[in-house]
Amino acid sequence: MVIKMDFSRYFRDYPTPDGHFGPYGGAHLTPELKKAFEEINQAYQSICQSAHFINELRRIRREFQGRPTPVYHCDRLSRKLGNCQIYLKREDLNHTGAHKLNHCMGEGLLAKYMGKKRIIAETGAGQHGVALATAAAYFGLECEIHMGEVDIAKQAPNVTRMKILGAKVVPVSFGQRTLKEAVDSAFESYAKNYKDSIYCIGTAAGPHPFPLMVRDFQFCIGEESRQQFLDMTGHLPDAVCACVGGGSNSAGSFCAYLNDPVDIYGVEPLGKGAGFGQHAATINYGKKATLHGFDSYVLTDDNGEAAPVHSIASGLDYQAVGPEHAFWHDLGRVNYVTASDEEAVQAFFMLSRYEGIIPALESSHAIAYAIKWAKEHPYGSILATCSGRGDKDVDYIVEHYGYGDAFFSAEKKA
């Protein structure tokens, strides 16, 4: 059921004081962690409207991160596909190569305000780990990153970067050895060390206040892109899209457009197909459940346990999705669609060959949908968030798909 809502008051009303977006969100925690997360919430609420905090974060973004990142018109790719125009919000040009630094610098600044000496987190694709290790080095904090062994092998360049930046990388060897288990391991460590540490989740998920905090810190993506697109074209895009795993870059990309006449698409990873364990398309195939201390859509098995998931993009293979995304889906404001592994790889090569931009495999899902949307529309414009650069993925791509020559040879024959 689609619920009608006036989004002009949305940010005043959501989340509620206890962290709910409709029936989603909240904080289901042990007594020890409940106290720790309440401390984080109180600290954030005390400074999020502070001119000093906001101005310091703006200075960091301008002088250290290199913001604002540009909006770029994919002219050659657009002409290849037809008359519809594809644009990119270039978060791959943010320092460290992805959007993750937007919230990591905010969380690092919060940690300093709280007097903490260590930051603890999980990472999947490694971009969050690199960004948090960067923030830790900037603020003079210890850094502990938990990462599944599967992802460590798949994302070796980012593991190296984290270690060079001074982070302690903790391999996670149980379960599927990917993102969910990394979160489990990081939570366990935080429960033992919360008095002198802060947990910095890598997406717009988790217990309150993290969905709120990460959304706020990532809001700069949509805020910038909306004004940049207006300046470039004189109007808003017909559609915007971004990939959705937990949902951080997409939350930041979508917020600025909620009250505009713009179609919004969150692109989930369909992986190898719709079968059990073959994808991580949580909103499309999941149901309401609780995972990692919050309520949202979750992919579960017949026993209600978190199901196995798969995506070629390590940053998207998570069984849950941020609670605000679940709420937007129920409201009917955001359309949640999918892109398969194969579609993402094709988009990876197309953007590389036609525009000279090598995107992250996570971002390639959004680009794949933008390509599909452009093919289906004879005119108009779509703005996709290129959430990260693909340096971390090139070894994996070449090993499994070569350099794209086979794809382009088939395309020429067709």
Side-chain angles (χ1 to χ4, degrees):
M1 179 178 66
V2 176
I3 304 169
K4 298 294 184 182
M5 175 179 286
D6 176 9
F7 282 91
S8 63
R9 289 185 52 86
Y10 178 82
F11 296 107
R12 292 184 180 181
D13 298 334
Y14 297 100
T16 58
D18 60 354
H20 280 87
F21 301 88
Y24 309 107
H28 305 287
L29 298 163
T30 63
E32 293 83 7
L33 283 179
K34 183 178 181 180
K35 181 179 179 181
F37 274 74
E38 285 178 350
E39 179 190 14
I40 294 172
N41 185 43
Q42 288 299 317
Y44 179 68
Q45 295 296 343
S46 71
I47 65 172
C48 67
Q49 301 296 329
S50 162
H52 177 74
F53 180 86
I54 293 169
N55 288 332
E56 177 62 10
L57 189 56
R58 286 176 174 171
R59 184 192 66 78
I60 290 169
R61 286 175 172 168
R62 181 178 64 253
E63 298 176 5
F64 183 69
Q65 292 185 230
R67 302 202 69 88
T69 59
V71 164
Y72 170 75
H73 179 212
C74 297
D75 182 61
R76 288 194 67 228
L77 180 60
S78 299
R79 285 190 280 114
K80 171 70 178 175
L81 299 172
N83 293 320
C84 185
Q85 304 303 305
I86 296 176
Y87 292 79
L88 299 180
K89 176 59 172 167
R90 296 290 307 277
E91 289 302 292
D92 58 308
L93 296 179
N94 195 33
H95 180 43
T96 74
H99 70 288
K100 295 291 187 179
L101 199 62
N102 297 334
H103 66 256
C104 286
M105 295 307 290
E107 289 170 339
L109 191 58
L110 178 63
K112 290 292 287 186
Y113 170 81
M114 295 175 67
K116 303 296 185 181
K117 71 175 186 178
R118 181 193 298 110
I119 46 182
I120 299 172
E122 83 299 328
T123 194
Q127 288 299 112
H128 175 60
V130 169
L132 202 60
T134 299
Y138 181 93
F139 290 110
L141 300 166
E142 297 175 23
C143 184
E144 179 180 303
I145 304 295
H146 296 248
M147 191 173 189
E149 288 180 338
V150 170
D151 294 331
I152 286 176
K154 195 174 177 181
Q155 306 290 347
N158 274 345
V159 177
T160 300
R161 294 169 73 193
M162 284 184 266
K163 291 180 177 179
I164 288 173
L165 289 162
K168 176 184 178 182
V169 179
V170 180
V172 179
S173 58
F174 59 88
Q176 288 186 269
R177 298 176 296 143
T178 56
L179 184 54
K180 175 190 174 295
E181 289 76 23
V183 175
D184 293 335
S185 180
F187 263 113
E188 183 179 346
S189 177
Y190 180 55
K192 297 175 182 176
N193 300 285
Y194 68 87
K195 290 184 180 180
D196 65 355
S197 305
I198 184 173
Y199 182 71
C200 297
I201 199 163
T203 189
H208 182 64
F210 280 95
L212 165 66
M213 285 172 47
V214 172
R215 180 199 73 187
D216 287 354
F217 290 141
Q218 292 292 345
F219 188 85
C220 57
I221 301 175
E223 184 179 40
E224 288 174 8
S225 73
R226 187 180 185 279
Q227 188 59 53
Q228 289 166 328
F229 202 95
L230 280 169
D231 292 343
M232 290 176 73
T233 68
H235 55 79
L236 294 174
D238 295 295
V240 297
C241 69
C243 65
V244 178
S248 56
N249 92 91
S250 44
S253 299
F254 299 163
C255 278
Y257 297 93
L258 290 176
N259 209 40
D260 290 324
V262 173
D263 293 332
I264 304 176
Y265 297 93
V267 188
E268 294 194 305
L270 187 59
K272 299 175 182 177
F276 181 77
Q278 293 187 322
H279 62 83
T282 307
I283 291 180
N284 279 273
Y285 295 97
K287 60 184 179 182
K288 187 176 183 294
T290 302
L291 183 68
H292 292 142
F294 69 103
D295 298 321
S296 188
Y297 282 94
V298 182
L299 291 167
T300 60
D301 60 21
D302 292 338
N303 297 317
E305 300 295 324
V309 292
H310 163 79
S311 172
I312 194 172
S314 297
L316 301 182
D317 60 353
Y318 184 50
Q319 287 87 345
V321 68
E324 192 162 23
H325 284 287
F327 189 46
W328 288 339
H329 168 266
D330 286 5
L331 293 175
R333 182 62 190 96
V334 179
N335 308 289
Y336 290 88
V337 296
T338 62
S340 68
D341 284 355
E342 198 63 32
E343 290 170 329
V345 171
Q346 289 180 358
F348 175 95
F349 284 126
M350 288 186 74
L351 192 67
S352 298
R353 292 288 182 97
Y354 289 111
E355 297 295 341
I357 299 169
I358 302 175
L361 282 171
E362 291 77 15
S363 313
S364 298
H365 286 71
I367 295 158
Y369 185 76
I371 290 170
K372 180 180 179 180
W373 194 92
K375 288 178 178 178
E376 294 173 350
H377 291 77
Y379 53 84
S381 59
I382 183 168
L383 171 65
T385 298
C386 186
S387 56
R389 65 181 180 226
D391 302 32
K392 66 184 180 61
D393 296 313
V394 293
D395 291 342
Y396 177 86
I397 284 288
V398 170
E399 180 182 352
H400 292 85
Y401 297 92
Y403 295 95
D405 295 332
F407 167 72
F408 287 100
S409 296
E411 185 184 56
K412 288 178 182 178
K413 290 178 182 179

